[in-house]
Amino acid sequence: MSGKDVTLHQLELENQKAQYDMMNLMESFQAISSTLSLDEVLKKIMHYAFNIAKSAQAGYIQLYEEHSNQLIIKEYVGFNDYINYFKVNVGESITGKVFRDDSVSLIHTKKAIYDRMDDLRKENLHTIEKAHLQKQDIQSLLSVPVSFGTKRIGVMTLHCFDIEDGLSETDLLLLQSFAAQAAIAIHNAQLHREVQKSLDEVTHLSKQLKEANTLLAKRTDIHNLLTRLSIQNRGLNAIIKEMNKLMENKLVYADYLEGECHPEHSAHWVKNLDDLFLLYMNKTEPAYGSLYNNDQTDCYIYPIRSGSIFLGCLIAEGNSPLSQLDCLIIEQGAPFLSLEIMKLRSQTEIMFKKTYEAYQQFLKVKNPHQAERAAKDLGIHHHYFLQTALIELDGNADLQSLENDALVLLAHLKEKIPVENSLLFSYNNKIFFFSSAQSADREAYFREMIQSSMKWWNERFTVVARAGISTGHYNPGQAEENHTKAEKALLHLKKHKEKGIIHYRDIGISRLFLHHPPEEIESFLRETFSLLWTDHEKNSELLHTLFTYIQNNRSMTATAKDLHIHANTLYHRIKKIEDTLKMDFSHYEDYLKVQLSVYLYKTFFK
């Protein structure tokens, strides 16, 4: 079996596993939604959580108790009854922070887990230790928030005692999706309990309670309908179509990753998506607003998220508040849309990972004939001109959000750059572009397209986009050298904290110092500038004179003019500088050393 066949076989196995995991997930959705008894729902949630994360050996669900501002254990597996005394304040230890910050926590090592538990109250630490059936230490931990829309309900936590790294990123992704459905089931069961309690306690409100029960039944019907569509893998458009059939108002989904709307034929009134996404990418609450094209359209906008990742917006047209039913449909549909989008993203990430690995293997091939074959496997035919561009997103966002943003920028680039005889893909927070052309004529075109996309991004978003590019004549087996040059150009921008795009040939002499630590360069400058550097404030005038003199290529006339001093004054200053530095600028090596030092200072410390 060839290497390509092995790769295809591995990809098929991974896809089969992903499909199995998804079917298992869908089965769990139906099961936890099959009852409105809160106790039964919680038991089923814990049961299916262990089906999803098979390495887990213990776990629990905590629900938020408003009057005490604490998270209370409501269901557990793998613990004794002591676990019922485990009550965590919001913000306390791992689960308290997961709830407070609406974030996930996947910790792979025992040390990291217990370090993160250092603020756990003593009584809680004693309780959790006594509650473990085998008195084992936790080796791996996964904790996710359980949220219904923007309302945080509780936290689901799983423990693994056998090995570190026992719980994986895949477990995290699946459990996040499961938690979204669990939140709906818990919310529905809580509503049902409240309805039943109200029916028992307030008989004169029977009409209102009947309406609430009817709405709850509709909620269940809608949830079951959408669950069925998701299990059948009908896709994003099918779910939006069914939601539109149920709703009184027209509904459109604006996709942040692709920069387009679904369904397309109903979205002619949705324009200026960039502005819409900028307004809502950091919001979690829905809001009423207006969209402007040729005229004003009032609408209800509901942001769709998966944890910290912004995916897009549901937009319902209309200038009056939505009905209870329409709000219900959107609330029930949003988690399913999020799940469908994350399924598509997961498939895309698998494909990009394979492409990245194949590209890295291609770069390592030095034999010309083997390199040509490896390039053809990537869909690239050999021409004599090569272009490589590396685009990186950098900011305060977490890695998942940066990866999400990279997909958005990638979609924008794909609209501008032809894919023929080229690679264009993203991996982690980087975008890779590799192209082979018959001549250098295409360089300017590709560079202009990349530059315009970078400008579009940097004018709108706080996350910085920067790109390093390299071009040149190409013989098979020499692609890695071109790729390395693009990496160095990107590193040059990062070191200077600049955004935008730069070609390797434009970084000049700086390429020689890219991998030098700043401390080493600073040490060289201190040695060269001697007392002018150590007594900087006292000799700032002399240092400024030296810089001006060097930048004017030792022209006394030009330097005196720039400094607004007489030539004799300048002469005495230069003599004093030479004496201080113990140098003679008429000597080639002395002048070259100080010239290089001025360049390094201006480049790295200005």
Side-chain angles (χ1 to χ4, degrees), residues 214-232:
T214 300
L215 192 63
L216 179 59
K218 287 183 179 179
R219 181 192 301 269
T220 303
D221 291 342
I222 294 165
H223 181 74
N224 289 339
L225 170 63
L226 297 179
T227 298
R228 195 158 55 248
L229 290 174
S230 190
I231 290 174
Q232 294 170 357

Side-chain angles (χ1 to χ4, degrees), residues 148 186-196 216 219:
F148 179 78
I186 292 170
H187 184 73
N188 289 347
Q190 288 175 331
L191 282 178
H192 180 72
R193 175 179 281 186
E194 291 171 7
V195 169
Q196 291 302 119
L216 179 59
R219 181 192 301 269

Side-chain angles (χ1 to χ4, degrees), residues 514-545:
L514 284 174
H515 297 290
H516 281 69
E519 299 80 11
E520 186 177 334
I521 295 175
E522 184 176 355
S523 175
F524 174 73
L525 295 179
R526 287 185 179 278
E527 291 172 3
T528 303
F529 292 136
S530 184
L531 295 176
L532 295 183
W533 180 279
T534 55
D535 198 3
H536 186 274
E537 186 175 342
K538 179 180 178 181
N539 293 295
S540 59
E541 184 182 70
L542 293 179
L543 202 59
H544 178 57
T545 299

